[in-house]
Amino acid sequence: MFKAFCRLLMKLTGWRFEGDLPALPSYIITVAPHTSNWDFIVGVMARGALGERIRFLGKHQLFIPPWGWFFRAIGGSPVDRRKNNNLVDAVSALFEEDSQFKLALAPEGTRSNVSRWKTGFYHIAVKAGVPIVTVGLDFAERKIVIAAPRPTTDDMQADMDGIIEFYRGIRGRFPKAIPDYVPSEK
Protein backbone atom coordinates (compact mmCIF):
# COMPACT_ATOMS: atom_id res chain seq x y z
CA MET A 1 0.00 0.00 0.00
CA PHE A 2 2.79 2.43 0.94
CA LYS A 3 4.67 1.56 -2.27
CA ALA A 4 1.61 2.37 -4.41
CA PHE A 5 1.06 5.60 -2.48
CA CYS A 6 4.67 6.69 -3.01
CA ARG A 7 4.53 5.83 -6.72
CA LEU A 8 1.39 7.94 -7.02
CA LEU A 9 3.10 10.82 -5.20
CA MET A 10 6.05 10.61 -7.58
CA LYS A 11 3.73 10.69 -10.57
CA LEU A 12 1.74 13.63 -9.19
CA THR A 13 4.88 15.62 -8.37
CA GLY A 14 6.61 14.82 -11.68
CA TRP A 15 9.53 12.83 -10.24
CA ARG A 16 10.94 9.83 -12.10
CA PHE A 17 13.76 7.33 -11.81
CA GLU A 18 16.72 7.09 -14.14
CA GLY A 19 18.44 3.79 -13.43
CA ASP A 20 17.66 0.99 -10.98
CA LEU A 21 18.93 -0.15 -7.63
CA PRO A 22 21.16 -3.20 -7.98
CA ALA A 23 19.86 -6.68 -7.21
CA LEU A 24 22.44 -7.06 -4.43
CA PRO A 25 21.76 -7.92 -0.81
CA SER A 26 23.80 -5.09 0.76
CA TYR A 27 25.30 -1.78 -0.26
CA ILE A 28 25.79 1.82 0.78
CA ILE A 29 23.90 4.51 -1.09
CA THR A 30 25.36 8.00 -1.24
CA VAL A 31 22.76 10.68 -1.94
CA ALA A 32 23.83 14.14 -3.04
CA PRO A 33 23.86 17.02 -3.50
CA HIS A 34 22.25 17.73 -0.14
CA THR A 35 20.95 21.31 -0.40
CA SER A 36 17.44 21.36 1.06
CA ASN A 37 15.11 19.74 3.58
CA TRP A 38 13.16 18.60 0.50
CA ASP A 39 15.97 16.11 -0.21
CA PHE A 40 14.77 13.99 2.71
CA ILE A 41 11.14 14.12 1.60
CA VAL A 42 12.00 13.18 -1.99
CA GLY A 43 14.30 10.45 -0.68
CA VAL A 44 11.60 8.91 1.53
CA MET A 45 9.12 9.07 -1.35
CA ALA A 46 11.62 7.40 -3.72
CA ARG A 47 12.54 4.71 -1.20
CA GLY A 48 8.86 3.95 -0.71
CA ALA A 49 8.24 3.80 -4.46
CA LEU A 50 11.14 1.38 -4.85
CA GLY A 51 9.81 -0.82 -2.06
CA GLU A 52 13.28 -1.31 -0.55
CA ARG A 53 14.12 -1.34 3.13
CA ILE A 54 16.90 1.23 3.18
CA ARG A 55 18.14 2.60 6.50
CA PHE A 56 19.58 6.06 7.12
CA LEU A 57 21.49 7.95 9.79
CA GLY A 58 20.35 11.35 10.97
CA LYS A 59 21.38 13.98 13.47
CA HIS A 60 20.22 13.02 16.95
CA GLN A 61 17.99 16.09 17.28
CA LEU A 62 15.58 14.51 14.77
CA PHE A 63 14.97 11.56 17.08
CA ILE A 64 13.58 13.40 20.11
CA PRO A 65 9.84 13.84 20.81
CA PRO A 66 7.49 14.50 19.20
CA TRP A 67 8.93 13.17 15.90
CA GLY A 68 11.57 10.69 17.04
CA TRP A 69 9.22 7.71 16.77
CA PHE A 70 8.47 8.63 13.15
CA PHE A 71 12.12 8.81 12.05
CA ARG A 72 12.86 5.46 13.73
CA ALA A 73 9.78 3.88 12.13
CA ILE A 74 10.94 4.85 8.64
CA GLY A 75 14.40 3.34 9.14
CA GLY A 76 16.43 6.04 10.84
CA SER A 77 19.09 5.77 13.50
CA PRO A 78 20.36 8.79 15.46
CA VAL A 79 23.96 9.99 15.31
CA ASP A 80 25.31 12.42 17.88
CA ARG A 81 27.81 14.46 15.87
CA ARG A 82 29.05 16.23 19.02
CA LYS A 83 30.66 12.99 20.22
CA ASN A 84 33.79 11.44 18.79
CA ASN A 85 32.64 7.86 18.39
CA ASN A 86 33.77 5.14 16.03
CA LEU A 87 30.83 5.28 13.68
CA VAL A 88 32.64 3.36 10.92
CA ASP A 89 33.06 0.29 13.15
CA ALA A 90 29.54 0.54 14.55
CA VAL A 91 27.90 0.77 11.11
CA SER A 92 30.17 -1.91 9.63
CA ALA A 93 28.93 -4.22 12.38
CA LEU A 94 25.35 -3.62 11.21
CA PHE A 95 26.32 -4.98 7.78
CA GLU A 96 27.82 -8.06 9.46
CA GLU A 97 24.67 -8.63 11.56
CA ASP A 98 22.22 -8.27 8.65
CA SER A 99 23.10 -9.76 5.26
CA GLN A 100 20.33 -7.63 3.67
CA PHE A 101 21.43 -4.30 5.19
CA LYS A 102 21.27 -1.23 2.95
CA LEU A 103 22.21 2.23 4.16
CA ALA A 104 21.75 5.68 2.59
CA LEU A 105 24.02 8.55 3.61
CA ALA A 106 24.61 12.14 2.53
CA PRO A 107 28.39 12.47 2.19
CA GLU A 108 28.27 16.23 2.61
CA GLY A 109 26.83 15.79 6.10
CA THR A 110 24.99 19.12 5.86
CA ARG A 111 22.93 21.26 3.50
CA SER A 112 25.52 24.04 3.72
CA ASN A 113 28.43 24.47 1.34
CA VAL A 114 31.41 22.37 2.37
CA SER A 115 35.02 22.38 1.23
CA ARG A 116 35.41 18.64 1.82
CA TRP A 117 33.00 15.70 1.90
CA LYS A 118 32.95 13.33 4.83
CA THR A 119 34.45 9.98 3.84
CA GLY A 120 32.93 7.74 6.50
CA PHE A 121 30.67 6.14 3.89
CA TYR A 122 33.74 5.05 1.93
CA HIS A 123 35.47 3.57 4.98
CA ILE A 124 32.27 1.76 5.96
CA ALA A 125 32.00 0.28 2.46
CA VAL A 126 35.62 -0.92 2.58
CA LYS A 127 35.31 -2.39 6.08
CA ALA A 128 31.93 -4.05 5.35
CA GLY A 129 33.01 -5.22 1.89
CA VAL A 130 30.00 -3.69 0.15
CA PRO A 131 29.76 -1.55 -2.99
CA ILE A 132 28.71 2.09 -3.13
CA VAL A 133 25.63 3.09 -5.15
CA THR A 134 25.60 6.77 -6.09
CA VAL A 135 22.17 8.38 -6.22
CA GLY A 136 21.55 11.96 -7.28
CA LEU A 137 18.46 14.07 -6.64
CA ASP A 138 18.23 16.25 -9.73
CA PHE A 139 15.65 18.92 -8.95
CA ALA A 140 16.11 20.70 -12.29
CA GLU A 141 14.85 17.64 -14.19
CA ARG A 142 12.87 16.06 -11.33
CA LYS A 143 14.71 12.80 -11.61
CA ILE A 144 16.38 10.45 -9.19
CA VAL A 145 19.51 9.21 -10.92
CA ILE A 146 20.75 5.80 -9.76
CA ALA A 147 24.18 4.70 -11.00
CA ALA A 148 25.58 1.19 -11.17
CA PRO A 149 27.25 -0.03 -7.97
CA ARG A 150 30.89 0.91 -7.51
CA PRO A 151 33.12 -1.55 -5.69
CA THR A 152 35.88 0.08 -3.67
CA THR A 153 39.47 -0.48 -4.80
CA ASP A 154 42.88 0.05 -3.29
CA ASP A 155 42.88 3.56 -4.78
CA MET A 156 40.65 5.79 -2.65
CA GLN A 157 41.62 8.88 -4.64
CA ALA A 158 40.40 7.35 -7.92
CA ASP A 159 37.27 5.93 -6.26
CA MET A 160 36.34 9.29 -4.70
CA ASP A 161 37.14 11.18 -7.91
CA GLY A 162 34.69 8.89 -9.78
CA ILE A 163 31.98 9.31 -7.14
CA ILE A 164 32.33 13.09 -7.07
CA GLU A 165 32.38 13.31 -10.87
CA PHE A 166 28.98 11.55 -10.98
CA TYR A 167 27.48 14.29 -8.78
CA ARG A 168 28.84 17.17 -10.85
CA GLY A 169 26.07 16.49 -13.39
CA ILE A 170 23.29 16.56 -10.76
CA ARG A 171 21.54 19.81 -9.84
CA GLY A 172 20.24 20.07 -6.30
CA ARG A 173 17.30 22.21 -5.25
CA PHE A 174 19.77 24.99 -4.46
CA PRO A 175 22.78 24.40 -6.71
CA LYS A 176 26.19 24.41 -5.06
CA ALA A 177 29.71 23.44 -5.98
CA ILE A 178 30.82 19.84 -5.42
CA PRO A 179 34.34 19.99 -3.96
CA ASP A 180 37.22 17.92 -5.27
CA TYR A 181 38.33 15.06 -3.08
CA VAL A 182 41.45 15.93 -1.12
CA PRO A 183 42.74 13.36 1.38
CA SER A 184 42.80 14.58 4.96
CA GLU A 185 46.13 15.21 6.58
CA LYS A 186 46.72 13.29 9.77
Side-chain angles (χ1 to χ4, degrees), residues 108-131:
E108 294 148 304
T110 180
R111 294 180 308 272
S112 304
N113 284 329
V114 296
S115 59
R116 186 175 189 283
W117 279 11
K118 297 180 180 297
T119 56
F121 74 90
Y122 185 87
H123 297 293
I124 293 166
V126 169
K127 187 159 186 147
V130 298

mmCIF file of all heavy atoms in Angstrom, residues 108-131:
data_model
loop_
_atom_site.group_PDB
_atom_site.id
_atom_site.type_symbol
_atom_site.label_atom_id
_atom_site.label_comp_id
_atom_site.label_asym_id
_atom_site.label_seq_id
_atom_site.Cartn_x
_atom_site.Cartn_y
_atom_site.Cartn_z
ATOM 1 N N GLU A 108 27.957 14.860 2.222
ATOM 2 C CA GLU A 108 28.267 16.233 2.612
ATOM 3 C C GLU A 108 28.043 16.440 4.104
ATOM 4 O O GLU A 108 28.692 17.269 4.726
ATOM 5 C CB GLU A 108 27.409 17.217 1.823
ATOM 6 C CG GLU A 108 27.742 17.206 0.353
ATOM 7 C CD GLU A 108 26.544 17.503 -0.502
ATOM 8 O OE1 GLU A 108 25.542 16.782 -0.378
ATOM 9 O OE2 GLU A 108 26.612 18.458 -1.286
ATOM 10 N N GLY A 109 27.102 15.692 4.672
ATOM 11 C CA GLY A 109 26.834 15.791 6.100
ATOM 12 C C GLY A 109 26.018 17.003 6.497
ATOM 13 O O GLY A 109 25.644 17.154 7.651
ATOM 14 N N THR A 110 25.720 17.885 5.569
ATOM 15 C CA THR A 110 24.987 19.117 5.858
ATOM 16 C C THR A 110 24.434 19.677 4.555
ATOM 17 O O THR A 110 24.895 19.317 3.468
ATOM 18 C CB THR A 110 25.907 20.165 6.535
ATOM 19 O OG1 THR A 110 25.162 21.350 6.814
ATOM 20 C CG2 THR A 110 27.097 20.519 5.652
ATOM 21 N N ARG A 111 23.458 20.579 4.686
ATOM 22 C CA ARG A 111 22.932 21.258 3.496
ATOM 23 C C ARG A 111 23.815 22.435 3.091
ATOM 24 O O ARG A 111 23.742 22.916 1.984
ATOM 25 C CB ARG A 111 21.506 21.749 3.768
ATOM 26 C CG ARG A 111 20.513 20.638 3.970
ATOM 27 C CD ARG A 111 19.125 21.171 4.246
ATOM 28 N NE ARG A 111 19.069 22.138 5.318
ATOM 29 C CZ ARG A 111 18.914 21.857 6.601
ATOM 30 N NH1 ARG A 111 18.807 20.601 6.984
ATOM 31 N NH2 ARG A 111 18.862 22.801 7.512
ATOM 32 N N SER A 112 24.656 22.893 3.995
ATOM 33 C CA SER A 112 25.524 24.042 3.720
ATOM 34 C C SER A 112 26.642 23.673 2.760
ATOM 35 O O SER A 112 26.965 22.510 2.577
ATOM 36 C CB SER A 112 26.149 24.535 5.029
ATOM 37 O OG SER A 112 25.154 24.843 5.969
ATOM 38 N N ASN A 113 27.254 24.708 2.174
ATOM 39 C CA ASN A 113 28.433 24.467 1.339
ATOM 40 C C ASN A 113 29.549 23.896 2.199
ATOM 41 O O ASN A 113 29.728 24.311 3.353
ATOM 42 C CB ASN A 113 28.908 25.767 0.693
ATOM 43 C CG ASN A 113 28.022 26.186 -0.454
ATOM 44 O OD1 ASN A 113 27.451 25.361 -1.149
ATOM 45 N ND2 ASN A 113 27.906 27.491 -0.662
ATOM 46 N N VAL A 114 30.270 22.951 1.652
ATOM 47 C CA VAL A 114 31.406 22.365 2.365
ATOM 48 C C VAL A 114 32.616 22.381 1.443
ATOM 49 O O VAL A 114 32.482 22.341 0.220
ATOM 50 C CB VAL A 114 31.120 20.915 2.835
ATOM 51 C CG1 VAL A 114 29.996 20.892 3.859
ATOM 52 C CG2 VAL A 114 30.794 19.996 1.671
ATOM 53 N N SER A 115 33.800 22.415 2.032
ATOM 54 C CA SER A 115 35.021 22.381 1.229
ATOM 55 C C SER A 115 35.524 20.957 1.068
ATOM 56 O O SER A 115 36.386 20.694 0.234
ATOM 57 C CB SER A 115 36.105 23.243 1.878
ATOM 58 O OG SER A 115 36.377 22.758 3.177
ATOM 59 N N ARG A 116 34.967 20.034 1.867
ATOM 60 C CA ARG A 116 35.406 18.640 1.820
ATOM 61 C C ARG A 116 34.264 17.747 2.259
ATOM 62 O O ARG A 116 33.606 18.013 3.251
ATOM 63 C CB ARG A 116 36.594 18.462 2.760
ATOM 64 C CG ARG A 116 37.227 17.118 2.699
ATOM 65 C CD ARG A 116 38.483 17.078 3.576
ATOM 66 N NE ARG A 116 39.207 15.863 3.360
ATOM 67 C CZ ARG A 116 38.842 14.693 3.868
ATOM 68 N NH1 ARG A 116 37.795 14.600 4.639
ATOM 69 N NH2 ARG A 116 39.544 13.600 3.608
ATOM 70 N N TRP A 117 34.012 16.677 1.504
ATOM 71 C CA TRP A 117 32.997 15.703 1.898
ATOM 72 C C TRP A 117 33.514 14.821 3.020
ATOM 73 O O TRP A 117 34.712 14.544 3.110
ATOM 74 C CB TRP A 117 32.633 14.818 0.720
ATOM 75 C CG TRP A 117 31.650 15.427 -0.230
ATOM 76 C CD1 TRP A 117 31.224 16.718 -0.269
ATOM 77 C CD2 TRP A 117 30.967 14.756 -1.273
ATOM 78 N NE1 TRP A 117 30.324 16.891 -1.280
ATOM 79 C CE2 TRP A 117 30.154 15.701 -1.913
ATOM 80 C CE3 TRP A 117 30.971 13.456 -1.731
ATOM 81 C CZ2 TRP A 117 29.337 15.376 -2.983
ATOM 82 C CZ3 TRP A 117 30.170 13.126 -2.804
ATOM 83 C CH2 TRP A 117 29.355 14.084 -3.418
ATOM 84 N N LYS A 118 32.604 14.329 3.824
ATOM 85 C CA LYS A 118 32.946 13.326 4.827
ATOM 86 C C LYS A 118 33.190 12.008 4.075
ATOM 87 O O LYS A 118 32.539 11.735 3.079
ATOM 88 C CB LYS A 118 31.814 13.170 5.834
ATOM 89 C CG LYS A 118 31.565 14.452 6.629
ATOM 90 C CD LYS A 118 30.433 14.259 7.608
ATOM 91 C CE LYS A 118 30.178 15.505 8.405
ATOM 92 N NZ LYS A 118 31.266 15.943 9.243
ATOM 93 N N THR A 119 34.117 11.218 4.549
ATOM 94 C CA THR A 119 34.453 9.981 3.845
ATOM 95 C C THR A 119 34.090 8.733 4.635
ATOM 96 O O THR A 119 34.457 7.627 4.251
ATOM 97 C CB THR A 119 35.958 9.941 3.500
ATOM 98 O OG1 THR A 119 36.704 10.103 4.715
ATOM 99 C CG2 THR A 119 36.317 11.041 2.500
ATOM 100 N N GLY A 120 33.337 8.896 5.696
ATOM 101 C CA GLY A 120 32.930 7.736 6.498
ATOM 102 C C GLY A 120 32.231 6.680 5.669
ATOM 103 O O GLY A 120 32.455 5.480 5.857
ATOM 104 N N PHE A 121 31.387 7.103 4.729
ATOM 105 C CA PHE A 121 30.669 6.140 3.885
ATOM 106 C C PHE A 121 31.648 5.240 3.142
ATOM 107 O O PHE A 121 31.410 4.042 2.986
ATOM 108 C CB PHE A 121 29.728 6.850 2.897
ATOM 109 C CG PHE A 121 30.436 7.522 1.740
ATOM 110 C CD1 PHE A 121 30.668 6.829 0.563
ATOM 111 C CD2 PHE A 121 30.877 8.831 1.833
ATOM 112 C CE1 PHE A 121 31.324 7.437 -0.503
ATOM 113 C CE2 PHE A 121 31.532 9.443 0.781
ATOM 114 C CZ PHE A 121 31.758 8.749 -0.394
ATOM 115 N N TYR A 122 32.742 5.814 2.684
ATOM 116 C CA TYR A 122 33.736 5.052 1.927
ATOM 117 C C TYR A 122 34.410 4.027 2.847
ATOM 118 O O TYR A 122 34.566 2.857 2.485
ATOM 119 C CB TYR A 122 34.772 5.994 1.313
ATOM 120 C CG TYR A 122 35.756 5.270 0.434
ATOM 121 C CD1 TYR A 122 35.477 5.046 -0.905
ATOM 122 C CD2 TYR A 122 36.958 4.792 0.946
ATOM 123 C CE1 TYR A 122 36.365 4.357 -1.720
ATOM 124 C CE2 TYR A 122 37.846 4.105 0.142
ATOM 125 C CZ TYR A 122 37.549 3.895 -1.187
ATOM 126 O OH TYR A 122 38.431 3.203 -1.980
ATOM 127 N N HIS A 123 34.797 4.463 4.025
ATOM 128 C CA HIS A 123 35.470 3.572 4.975
ATOM 129 C C HIS A 123 34.533 2.467 5.456
ATOM 130 O O HIS A 123 34.973 1.329 5.668
ATOM 131 C CB HIS A 123 36.045 4.378 6.139
ATOM 132 C CG HIS A 123 37.103 5.341 5.698
ATOM 133 N ND1 HIS A 123 38.331 4.945 5.207
ATOM 134 C CD2 HIS A 123 37.100 6.691 5.626
ATOM 135 C CE1 HIS A 123 39.049 6.001 4.874
ATOM 136 N NE2 HIS A 123 38.316 7.077 5.118
ATOM 137 N N ILE A 124 33.261 2.784 5.604
ATOM 138 C CA ILE A 124 32.273 1.757 5.963
ATOM 139 C C ILE A 124 32.186 0.729 4.842
ATOM 140 O O ILE A 124 32.192 -0.481 5.091
ATOM 141 C CB ILE A 124 30.888 2.382 6.238
ATOM 142 C CG1 ILE A 124 30.925 3.244 7.496
ATOM 143 C CG2 ILE A 124 29.823 1.290 6.363
ATOM 144 C CD1 ILE A 124 29.716 4.158 7.659
ATOM 145 N N ALA A 125 32.099 1.188 3.603
ATOM 146 C CA ALA A 125 32.001 0.275 2.459
ATOM 147 C C ALA A 125 33.208 -0.653 2.399
ATOM 148 O O ALA A 125 33.067 -1.859 2.172
ATOM 149 C CB ALA A 125 31.858 1.063 1.162
ATOM 150 N N VAL A 126 34.402 -0.106 2.606
ATOM 151 C CA VAL A 126 35.618 -0.920 2.577
ATOM 152 C C VAL A 126 35.581 -1.955 3.702
ATOM 153 O O VAL A 126 35.791 -3.149 3.471
ATOM 154 C CB VAL A 126 36.886 -0.035 2.704
ATOM 155 C CG1 VAL A 126 38.123 -0.878 2.955
ATOM 156 C CG2 VAL A 126 37.056 0.813 1.443
ATOM 157 N N LYS A 127 35.297 -1.492 4.916
ATOM 158 C CA LYS A 127 35.308 -2.394 6.079
ATOM 159 C C LYS A 127 34.221 -3.470 5.971
ATOM 160 O O LYS A 127 34.441 -4.619 6.327
ATOM 161 C CB LYS A 127 35.139 -1.599 7.366
ATOM 162 C CG LYS A 127 35.309 -2.445 8.600
ATOM 163 C CD LYS A 127 35.652 -1.627 9.798
ATOM 164 C CE LYS A 127 35.944 -2.612 10.910
ATOM 165 N NZ LYS A 127 36.920 -2.181 11.811
ATOM 166 N N ALA A 128 33.042 -3.095 5.464
ATOM 167 C CA ALA A 128 31.931 -4.049 5.346
ATOM 168 C C ALA A 128 32.025 -4.886 4.075
ATOM 169 O O ALA A 128 31.299 -5.867 3.927
ATOM 170 C CB ALA A 128 30.595 -3.300 5.386
ATOM 171 N N GLY A 129 32.880 -4.485 3.144
ATOM 172 C CA GLY A 129 33.014 -5.221 1.893
ATOM 173 C C GLY A 129 31.793 -5.101 0.992
ATOM 174 O O GLY A 129 31.407 -6.057 0.327
ATOM 175 N N VAL A 130 31.186 -3.914 0.975
ATOM 176 C CA VAL A 130 29.995 -3.689 0.151
ATOM 177 C C VAL A 130 30.271 -2.585 -0.863
ATOM 178 O O VAL A 130 31.107 -1.713 -0.634
ATOM 179 C CB VAL A 130 28.755 -3.326 1.010
ATOM 180 C CG1 VAL A 130 28.397 -4.464 1.951
ATOM 181 C CG2 VAL A 130 28.968 -2.038 1.780
ATOM 182 N N PRO A 131 29.565 -2.605 -1.994
ATOM 183 C CA PRO A 131 29.760 -1.548 -2.988
ATOM 184 C C PRO A 131 29.020 -0.260 -2.598
ATOM 185 O O PRO A 131 28.180 -0.250 -1.694
ATOM 186 C CB PRO A 131 29.154 -2.144 -4.259
ATOM 187 C CG PRO A 131 28.118 -3.095 -3.771
ATOM 188 C CD PRO A 131 28.645 -3.641 -2.470
#
